[in-house]
Amino acid sequence: MSEIRIIDVHQSVFAVNDAIAEETRRRNHEHRTYMINLMASPGAGKTTLLLKLIPALKERFSIGVMEADIDASVDAEKMAGAGVRSIQVHTGGECAMDAEMTRQAIEEFSADDLDLLIMENVGNLVCPAETDTGATLNLAILSVPEGDDKPLKYPLMFRVTQAVVISKTDTREYFSFDDDAVVKRIHACNPDSKVFFLSAKTGEGMEEFTNWLINEIENEIR
């Protein structure tokens, strides 16, 4: 009968990832680059929100966008069409970006001259929340059609984000969505999280969110 080896693991399985993430944060701070990790379910409006933000942001900042998907390059093409440097990252079937993927993408960007680096993560509310990418800001989008109970079902996502956008507010009349309840549920996960209600389609709430984001970026890199 073969001998059974027992191995005691004293280091977190995420330790290597976390070390790379911390190095990315150090590097970005050194180069005065603000990095956003944008996370949401498919169809919540990540790309639409970015396309609405870019005109105001690129007046002040040099911007690069990393589009992470399992396949295709349509979102990166949209970003390039909006006048910002963009690369498509295919994750090889992985359901989220990790710190090493992020590091490689930043190297491909030659991002030393960028003020703002935005990563549109793979669309889901589970995997992206589990892995630190080294971002300055974790930003989640929750759309009205998804329902106000998502912070109850996916608490980790709302625990690791410093700000949450409630998108597609123009669809309120078609869905049962409780604004007060969703804010309470988000703050139960993270009491310090900022919550914004907006519609990229109508422009409702866009100015408040854009001004807040610009202020956050400038405070970090100036």
Side-chain angles (χ1 to χ4, degrees):
M1 188 173 181
S2 60
E3 181 181 348
I4 298 174
R5 297 182 62 198
I6 299 175
I7 302 173
D8 291 324
V9 178
H10 299 288
Q11 190 177 47
S12 167
V13 293
F14 293 110
V16 173
N17 182 88
D18 292 348
I20 297 170
E22 282 303 316
E23 176 60 22
T24 294
R25 260 188 288 273
R26 185 204 61 76
R27 174 227 168 265
N28 285 343
H29 181 75
E30 181 181 302
H31 291 283
R32 296 183 179 180
T33 302
Y34 191 97
M35 179 177 159
I36 299 172
N37 178 17
L38 181 59
M39 300 175 284
S41 298
K46 297 188 297 297
T47 305
T48 300
L49 178 61
L50 289 181
L51 290 173
K52 290 293 184 179
L53 284 171
I54 282 171
L57 295 178
K58 72 179 183 179
E59 290 180 0
R60 292 173 169 82
F61 311 115
S62 172
I63 306 173
V65 179
M66 298 183 292
E67 291 288 349
D69 277 302
I70 293 174
D71 208 340
S73 60
V74 291
D75 289 340
E77 291 166 5
K78 289 177 183 177
M79 294 302 138
V84 295
R85 290 161 61 183
S86 178
I87 61 172
Q88 185 72 49
V89 181
H90 288 164
T91 62
E94 296 296 325
C95 59
M97 292 284 285
D98 62 19
E100 176 59 20
M101 293 179 192
T102 303
R103 184 193 64 77
Q104 291 182 38
I106 292 173
E107 286 186 355
E108 289 295 322
F109 244 128
S110 300
D112 292 349
D113 62 335
L114 293 176
D115 301 314
L116 175 59
L117 187 59
I118 303 171
M119 178 169 65
E120 184 177 340
N121 216 317
V122 181
N124 72 85
L125 291 176
V126 181
C127 303
E130 296 176 340
T131 310
D132 189 359
T133 62
T136 315
L137 172 69
N138 286 326
L139 172 63
I141 301 178
L142 171 62
S143 67
V144 167
E146 293 176 82
D148 53 45
D149 61 351
K150 289 299 177 289
L152 300 175
K153 296 181 177 181
Y154 306 100
L156 182 59
M157 173 58 72
F158 299 93
R159 197 174 300 140
V160 302
T161 50
Q162 293 84 45
V164 179
V165 166
I166 308 300
S167 67
K168 303 187 181 182
T169 55
D170 56 290
T171 67
R172 277 193 185 103
E173 64 179 297
Y174 304 108
F175 299 95
S176 177
F177 191 93
D178 189 325
D179 290 3
D180 293 335
V182 79
V183 171
K184 184 179 294 186
R185 290 162 181 169
I186 291 168
H187 284 161
C189 298
N190 183 351
D192 297 323
S193 184
K194 297 284 292 183
V195 183
F196 299 91
F197 291 82
L198 61 81
S199 168
K201 180 178 179 181
T202 67
E204 175 194 356
M206 283 295 302
E207 183 176 1
E208 179 188 1
F209 175 64
T210 303
N211 289 341
W212 174 83
L213 185 58
I214 288 171
N215 186 63
E216 290 292 303
I217 298 167
E218 289 183 338
N219 285 342
E220 181 71 21
I221 70 173
R222 301 306 185 200

